[in-house]
Amino acid sequence: MAAYFDLLSAKLGKAVSQAQSNNDNETLIVLSDKKLIKKAALEIKKKFDILFMLVVVDYKPRFELNYVFSSYSSKNILTLRVNIDEKDYSIDSISKIFDSANWEEREAYDLFGIKFNGHPDLRRILLPEDWPGHPMRKDFIVTDEVRNWTGLDLKF
Amino acid sequence: MHTAKKQLDDIEGNEFSYPGLSDIIFMKSEKFIETVLNWGRSNSLWPLTFGTSCCAIEMMTFGATKVDSDRMGVLFIGDSPRQADLLLVSGTITKKMARRLLNVYEQMPSPKYVIAVGACNVSGGLYHDSYNTIHGIDLIMPVDVYIPGCPPRPEEFMDAVRVLQRLIKQNKAKASLKNGSIL
């Protein structure tokens, strides 16, 4: 699926590179600069309808974000891979471009502590608001304190 | 008086082991009224069903035709905490849900009884090492009867209700112990 790659590289130049994908209808594109995510999303919006998955992996150097886009009409899948290093856990939000990114980004914020700049409502989605820490990070250790935390003021 | 028989009842459990006639005659009036009230309460337990996962399926079977809970006075009438005596907590309780559960519990009128259904509510169960579940709901509220199992069969619900009825008749349920006189 070189067509989608050509489309993106025409706009973004050398910031994008294509990686090997296993299936015929899948395209895997790596974006080297995280500041270009909004631009890339606007380009992708022309060919793909929805963002149906945002996968975050805790690798080295730190987080790898996989935005998986899909199209209802062509049944093709495009994965956009962006890396975030340890200096700054933030990236621009694409929730204005793809509506489904809203909750996906909230989940990534909840479990990994990635900040999405420009998100309209960046709150925790699964855990309570006053939960300490981000549990899906590799350096998060489940201690007894975390296990027994209820966040409740109990008097019985 | 019947010390040996009473001990046996406490150990083995007997559904008829609520205070006997001779106990009632020498009882203080407050306790007498409470005993009579508790006898009534034990025979018409209206449950509030708080089902969050697979144990709730067994809870539905408990209320359905084959294991008919109505014949023990447990009527699945409506899910309103205002009219419920018994809270049937069945399913994993996450830390976010714990606040809602406590909220529902506090809305119930006293005396209120709680049955913890399934391994998750007894001790954390499968999620004993998780960061996001309550490891036994007795951490957040007083529990009268525990039903182990993952999930327990509907017959075990029946057994738990009979145990709870016995506790209430003996004035030993947590609600009776905590408040003393409920009049």
Side-chain angles (χ1 to χ4, degrees):
Chain A
M1 287 288 160
Y4 297 124
F5 175 68
D6 292 342
L7 200 87
L8 274 176
S9 64
K11 278 276 177 187
L12 303 171
K14 286 181 179 175
V16 289
S17 56
Q18 193 165 17
Q20 188 66 40
S21 180
N22 293 328
N23 292 331
D24 289 340
N25 64 341
E26 280 183 24
T27 317
L28 179 57
I29 291 170
V30 182
L31 187 68
S32 60
D33 189 1
K34 70 175 182 181
K35 284 172 188 165
L36 294 172
I37 180 71
K38 261 187 153 173
K39 240 181 179 180
L42 273 171
E43 279 307 304
I44 291 165
K45 181 77 176 174
K46 291 172 186 170
K47 292 281 178 189
F48 292 87
D49 307 320
I50 54 162
L51 168 83
F52 79 92
M53 197 154 60
L54 170 57
V55 185
V56 185
V57 193
D58 195 346
Y59 270 151
K60 298 237 180 227
R62 229 43 214 267
F63 302 119
E64 177 190 290
L65 273 68
N66 295 288
Y67 294 82
V68 187
F69 301 96
S70 171
S71 170
Y72 289 117
S73 50
S74 65
K75 292 180 184 172
N76 287 329
I77 290 169
L78 184 140
T79 307
L80 190 68
R81 185 172 287 173
V82 192
N83 280 299
I84 293 182
D85 57 8
E86 277 185 314
K87 287 173 204 158
D88 184 17
Y89 296 135
S90 70
I91 189 167
D92 282 341
S93 167
I94 60 160
S95 55
K96 297 255 167 68
I97 302 156
F98 289 93
D99 287 342
S100 59
N102 192 320
W103 279 23
E104 299 281 353
E105 285 174 354
R106 276 177 69 186
E107 191 183 351
Y109 164 71
D110 189 354
L111 302 178
F112 287 94
I114 298 165
K115 276 202 164 180
F116 290 89
N117 302 324
H119 192 283
D121 183 25
L122 195 63
R123 286 181 293 126
R124 286 180 180 273
I125 191 167
L126 296 169
L127 297 167
E129 280 86 20
D130 47 351
W131 171 263
H134 301 286
M136 283 292 167
R137 286 186 179 182
K138 289 267 190 242
D139 55 5
F140 182 87
I141 299 158
V142 184
T143 55
D144 278 351
E145 201 180 331
V146 172
R147 254 181 231 115
N148 298 330
W149 185 92
T150 57
L152 298 167
D153 185 21
L154 298 165
K155 309 174 198 116
F156 76 91
Chain B
M1 32 169 290
H2 308 291
T3 331
K5 186 183 171 293
K6 272 203 162 176
Q7 275 177 355
L8 200 70
D9 283 343
D10 283 345
I11 296 161
E12 290 190 348
N14 177 357
E15 60 180 301
F16 302 112
S17 60
Y18 52 86
L21 189 63
S22 51
D23 284 345
I24 286 173
I25 288 168
F26 297 109
M27 217 173 242
K28 283 184 181 173
S29 59
E30 273 182 23
K31 189 151 192 222
F32 171 73
I33 295 168
E34 199 181 317
T35 306
V36 175
L37 281 175
N38 274 342
W39 180 83
R41 279 165 190 147
S42 71
N43 288 318
S44 70
L45 288 167
W46 288 12
L48 172 68
T49 52
F50 198 91
T52 53
S53 54
C54 43
C55 288
I57 306 297
E58 304 295 319
M59 184 175 66
M60 290 170 212
T61 318
F62 171 56
T65 317
K66 196 175 174 187
V67 186
D68 192 7
S69 68
D70 283 17
R71 60 200 162 125
M72 293 188 297
V74 182
L75 306 180
F76 284 78
I77 279 185
D79 279 338
S80 166
R82 309 279 179 198
Q83 291 146 17
D85 304 302
L86 169 66
L87 183 59
L88 270 170
V89 187
S90 38
T92 317
I93 300 298
T94 59
K95 283 178 178 168
K96 206 173 179 181
M97 191 53 122
R99 296 159 195 215
R100 279 79 183 168
L101 175 62
L102 205 64
N103 202 349
V104 164
Y105 176 75
E106 281 166 357
Q107 284 177 43
M108 287 166 61
S110 196
K112 45 197 170 188
Y113 313 101
V114 180
I115 295 182
V117 181
C120 294
N121 286 331
V122 174
S123 66
L126 189 63
Y127 308 104
H128 70 282
D129 206 21
S130 167
Y131 57 86
N132 198 28
T133 54
I134 296 290
H135 307 296
I137 57 162
D138 50 1
L139 291 173
I140 60 168
M141 61 174 58
V143 177
D144 288 295
V145 184
Y146 300 85
I147 313 180
C150 187
R153 287 187 61 83
E155 287 86 345
E156 290 175 60
F157 281 78
M158 213 154 64
D159 188 40
V161 165
R162 285 167 83 87
V163 169
L164 181 61
Q165 282 178 340
R166 195 172 69 237
L167 284 174
I168 296 169
K169 279 171 185 166
Q170 291 170 337
N171 299 329
K172 279 180 185 170
K174 289 247 167 83
S176 332
L177 290 177
K178 191 183 165 193
N179 297 339
S181 172
I182 313 162
L183 306 170

